[in-house]
Amino acid sequence: MLGLETTWSQTAGLHIKQSQVTSAYASYKSGSRNASSYSAKISTSAITVNGKAINNSKEQYPLLNFRNITYFPLTWRFAYEEFGWDYKWNAVSGLSITSRNPQLQSTGLPAFAADNDVALFKGYYYFTQTTGSTNQVYRAPIQQPSAKEEIYSYSFGGPDSEWHPTNVSFMIRDNALWFTYHLGGGVMGSDQFVKVGDNGKAELLHEGYLDFRATSHGTLIVQLGAWGFEGGNLYLSSAGEKKKVGDPGLMYAVTLSGTQWSLGGGNASYMAVNGDHVYVLASRDESDANKIYEINLKTNKTKKIVDANVGWFQVIDQKLYYVKDKDKSLYSSDIDGKNEVKLSEHAVTWFESIDGNLFYTTKKSSTQYDLYKVNPNGDDTLAWGASIAGVQVVNNQLVCLLGGNNGVALLDGSGRLLLKVSEPIGRVFTSDNGLLFQKSNDSSLAIIR
């Protein structure tokens, strides 16, 4: 909690250093009363503070050992000079210690908020309350989370219905907050896409099994979830009009899985907009599936630019980055598909670019992944020295889930450690300011800003 990291071993003794770490406050309550007096011993074990050995026999206020725990004196020498804390005392207020590391704080949101998705966007929390067969979506200012206001509500099937999904998912798209939910069954139902305006009011804008991208020519919409091969599922919507774009003989943004069409790429990209051009995964038939095509929105000219089966891709800084199905490796090319370069020797499960640097993961086991940074010289390096349980990008930072009860590590765009959170974390939520998450040990919601 105070920004110190400790390690201990029988041979090296106790090592303490000021570090980029944080955690929640944990009280040490006992089940029995203490005695009226105890004896503590001057510690004789090896002690190192910030890389400097402590000669405890010469300390004016030595470190003590009590119940097999080493205790530091709260003197100026350690508290201020070594640990960097703000350190104040007076007879009225007593002792005040303030560390400079980021602090983990409770959100102050009601307990039911953790039952669904949560978001932090432009100074407000967004969360959902389920009552009977109704979901109410609220927002509340971060400085006064009890002052909630309803911005949207909808009814679903209810507890006696075969289909009664209650999940709401928040996301930030094009610097705006959206949330989605599902209504109805798997085939006859549909996904609902709701945009939250600057005034906090929410508006339902899209319905169906679809995805969309904003363009200067209107909203590009791809219809998903077809059960047979039907081409021409890409549309441009503008001023209330909707027209097909691209080659009508192609099926866009889906991938073949046996005889069933399903959404391609998982949480990765399969469609990108770059000026007047759209880049999209498309298939003509089973023998010509999952290639990258370019569509000119002005002329509607459609051409194949990557003639290889691709799992997913992104357009980054006027270049294509994609993972091929044949070897699961990461490749890059010019925006027109020329001058292809292989970037990884490992099978890639995820990749993303932050501040001009490219990162990817490769699977080590069913629950462990290695995180690599792609260097310009082609020599990949581990961005984090140990395997991780997962990674995602939140607020332009890499959030690495360390697995077990080891918390998360936040890395900047160069891969440098910003903060290690020593808390068991279950979920990380959408946020444009800091880290918003749910602790797995008590399901409470917390934030670090």
Side-chain angles (χ1 to χ4, degrees):
M1 184 184 72
L2 293 174
L4 302 183
E5 199 167 12
T6 66
T7 57
W8 185 90
S9 70
Q10 188 72 42
T11 55
L14 178 66
H15 282 251
I16 294 184
K17 65 178 180 179
Q18 186 184 18
S19 184
Q20 288 297 97
V21 294
T22 193
S23 69
Y25 169 74
S27 63
Y28 290 82
K29 295 182 178 180
S30 172
S32 59
R33 293 177 63 88
N34 287 325
S36 58
S37 65
Y38 289 95
S39 295
K41 297 179 179 179
I42 295 177
S43 178
T44 57
S45 65
I47 301 170
T48 304
V49 175
N50 289 334
K52 293 171 285 190
I54 301 298
N55 187 345
N56 204 30
S57 64
K58 295 184 178 181
E59 289 290 326
Q60 181 180 3
Y61 301 98
L63 285 73
L64 302 179
N65 186 279
F66 177 57
R67 292 176 176 170
N68 295 320
I69 294 176
T70 301
Y71 286 84
F72 276 78
L74 287 177
T75 59
W76 187 266
R77 159 163 159 66
F78 288 112
Y80 182 82
E81 294 178 355
E82 292 293 345
F83 302 150
W85 300 336
D86 290 330
Y87 179 85
K88 298 176 182 178
W89 184 90
N90 62 59
V92 177
S93 302
L95 180 63
S96 172
I97 294 176
T98 304
S99 61
R100 293 182 173 90
N101 64 319
Q103 294 297 300
L104 186 151
Q105 299 174 335
S106 171
T107 62
L109 292 174
F112 65 75
D115 297 336
N116 219 306
D117 199 13
V118 184
L120 172 61
F121 187 68
K122 294 186 177 180
Y124 286 87
Y125 291 120
Y126 293 83
F127 57 98
T128 306
Q129 182 174 18
T130 302
T131 305
S133 60
T134 300
N135 268 351
Q136 295 166 287
V137 182
Y138 293 97
R139 81 166 185 169
I142 190 171
Q143 303 300 336
Q144 192 179 358
S146 61
K148 66 178 183 180
E149 60 173 327
E150 182 181 307
I151 64 168
Y152 190 87
S153 68
Y154 67 93
S155 297
F156 50 90
D160 298 326
S161 173
E162 179 182 0
W163 289 92
H164 49 90
T166 61
N167 290 340
V168 171
S169 296
F170 292 97
M171 69 196 76
I172 298 174
R173 303 179 62 149
D174 299 323
N175 198 33
L177 185 67
W178 292 74
F179 62 87
T180 65
Y181 59 92
H182 185 83
L183 289 180
V187 177
M188 300 304 295
S190 63
D191 294 331
Q192 315 290 302
F193 297 83
V194 182
K195 183 179 181 180
V196 180
D198 292 336
N199 60 358
K201 301 304 179 183
E203 180 183 6
L204 177 64
L205 294 183
H206 304 291
E207 299 179 74
Y209 290 113
L210 55 86
D211 198 2
F212 57 92
R213 299 287 188 276
T215 79
S216 58
H217 300 268
T219 302
L220 190 70
I221 299 174
V222 57
Q223 298 287 347
L224 304 170
W227 289 85
F229 188 88
E230 298 178 6
N233 60 327
L234 193 64
Y235 301 85
L236 195 61
S237 178
S238 178
E241 297 184 359
K242 185 178 175 182
K243 66 176 182 179
K244 285 189 176 184
V245 296
D247 185 340
L250 291 170
M251 185 71 167
Y252 296 98
V254 289
T255 182
L256 280 171
S257 176
T259 58
Q260 176 182 343
W261 288 95
S262 59
L263 178 62
N267 62 354
S269 300
Y270 45 77
M271 184 168 62
V273 176
N274 185 42
D276 294 325
H277 295 85
V278 175
Y279 300 87
V280 59
L281 279 184
S283 304
R284 192 168 298 279
D285 52 43
E286 294 187 18
S287 63
D288 186 25
N290 307 330
K291 310 297 173 64
I292 300 179
Y293 284 78
E294 178 193 73
I295 303 172
N296 187 316
L297 293 178
K298 286 185 174 180
T299 65
N300 205 39
K301 182 180 179 181
T302 305
K303 64 178 180 179
K304 185 191 300 182
I305 58 174
V306 176
D307 192 18
N309 287 32
V310 172
W312 70 95
F313 74 95
Q314 291 192 52
V315 174
I316 304 170
D317 295 332
Q318 301 299 312
K319 296 194 72 173
L320 283 171
Y321 293 85
Y322 45 93
V323 176
K324 290 186 179 181
D325 288 342
K326 68 173 184 178
D327 58 4
K328 307 301 182 183
S329 293
L330 180 62
Y331 293 80
S332 71
S333 73
D334 295 339
I335 195 69
D336 58 3
K338 298 177 181 179
N339 300 317
E340 181 180 86
V341 177
K342 186 176 181 180
L343 298 178
S344 74
E345 294 300 327
H346 307 281
V348 174
T349 55
W350 169 94
F351 75 89
E352 188 58 81
S353 175
I354 303 179
D355 295 337
N357 295 303
L358 196 65
F359 297 87
Y360 72 86
T361 58
T362 184
K363 192 171 185 177
K364 299 294 289 184
S365 68
S366 59
T367 59
Q368 295 291 310
Y369 301 83
D370 281 345
L371 176 66
Y372 284 91
K373 178 182 176 182
V374 178
N375 293 324
N377 60 9
D379 182 21
D380 297 352
T381 57
L382 281 171
W384 186 253
S387 294
I388 59 176
V391 62
Q392 62 190 92
V393 175
V394 177
N395 197 23
N396 208 38
Q397 296 174 349
L398 288 167
V399 181
C400 303
L401 185 64
L402 302 182
N405 292 325
N406 295 316
V408 300
L410 273 68
L411 311 181
D412 68 8
S414 66
R416 180 177 63 91
L417 176 66
L418 294 174
L419 185 67
K420 184 178 178 182
V421 184
S422 300
E423 288 290 322
I425 292 178
R427 291 188 293 169
V428 176
F429 299 108
T430 297
S431 172
D432 68 343
N433 183 7
L435 182 67
L436 177 64
F437 59 92
Q438 181 182 26
K439 296 163 63 178
S440 59
N441 56 350
D442 60 8
S443 298
S444 64
L445 299 175
I447 185 170
I448 299 173
R449 290 189 293 165

